[in-house]
């Protein structure tokens, strides 16, 4: 089923992309552009999401460390 969905999404994406870029191609080329574009776009999007999650984890770690330092300074450091 994922292959069928990829082809259907690729057809739609290829059609839309070729029209937006004012490129007039035949149907097989339009489908190929859409399918390969979906593969490339999905890979890039996954990499961006992964990088964003790493950055979110890093920011969370820094904020947690800052909160711990604040608690230590307020309640334990004299």
């Amino acid at each position: 089923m994922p292959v069928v969905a990829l082809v259907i999404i690729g057809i739609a994406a290829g059609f839309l992309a070729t029209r937006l870029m004012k490129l007039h191609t035949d149907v097989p080329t339009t489908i190929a552009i859409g399918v390969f574009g979906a593969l490339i776009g999905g890979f890039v999007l996954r990499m961006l999401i992964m990088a964003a999650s790493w950055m979110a984890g890093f920011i969370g770690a820094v904020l947690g460390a800052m909160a711990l330092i604040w608690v230590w300074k307020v309640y334990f450091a004299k």
Side-chain angles (χ1 to χ4, degrees), residues 47-59:
M47 292 299 115
L48 289 173
I49 289 172
M50 190 183 318
S53 68
W54 289 341
M55 288 304 296
F58 178 73
I59 291 169

Side-chain angles (χ1 to χ4, degrees), residues 12-56:
F15 176 78
L16 185 61
T18 55
R19 295 308 174 257
L20 289 172
M21 299 297 292
K22 295 181 176 130
L23 179 69
H24 298 287
T25 60
D26 56 348
V27 175
T29 304
T30 301
I31 292 171
I33 288 171
V35 170
F36 289 119
L39 290 172
I40 292 168
F43 177 74
V44 170
L45 186 61
R46 285 184 183 153
M47 292 299 115
L48 289 173
I49 289 172
M50 190 183 318
S53 68
W54 289 341
M55 288 304 296

Side-chain angles (χ1 to χ4, degrees), residues 61-72:
V62 170
L63 291 175
M66 290 171 63
L68 186 60
I69 290 169
W70 178 80
V71 168
W72 180 73

